């Protein structure tokens, strides 16, 4: 089964989205948006940019992180990985 975006209102009444994998696990959560239109624009941005997005590994270089490694990945901007 394919993944899906879910749009919902958070506890403060702001619009948010989450991306769920085909198995139903949440794999990413977007920021909060003032309007539904802005939330949908955030989803569209992920759809457009995720395939070509790079991954910046800021964990491998210690506290100063000056020389972060860059990797090609399917992660998009405006979202954070969900643990």
């Amino acid at each position: 089964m394919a993944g899906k975006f879910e749009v919902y209102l958070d506890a403060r009444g702001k619009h948010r989205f989450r991306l769920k994998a085909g198995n139903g696990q949440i794999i990413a959560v977007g920021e909060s948006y003032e309007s539904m239109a802005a939330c949908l624009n955030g989803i569209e941005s992920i759809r457009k940019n995720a395939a070509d997005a790079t991954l910046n590994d800021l964990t491998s270089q210690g506290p100063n992180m000056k020389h972060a490694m860059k990797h090609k990945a399917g992660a998009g901007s405006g979202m954070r990985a969900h643990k």
Side-chain angles (χ1 to χ4, degrees), residues 10-72:
D10 66 16
R12 297 181 319 168
K14 305 288 184 179
H15 294 82
R16 288 184 158 288
F17 66 85
R18 59 186 156 232
L19 177 58
K20 286 190 171 182
N23 66 1
Q25 181 178 358
I26 297 171
I27 56 176
V29 178
E31 61 186 89
S32 64
Y33 295 90
E34 293 293 325
S35 69
M36 176 64 100
C39 187
L40 295 176
N41 284 338
I43 292 171
E44 285 307 310
S45 178
I46 298 304
R47 287 179 169 159
K48 283 185 201 173
N49 296 302
D52 296 326
T54 58
L55 169 71
N56 294 331
D57 181 357
L58 303 178
T59 63
S60 64
Q61 299 299 317
N64 65 6
M65 297 185 231
K66 288 194 308 191
H67 305 287
M69 295 172 56
K70 291 191 176 188
H71 304 278
K72 192 76 166 169

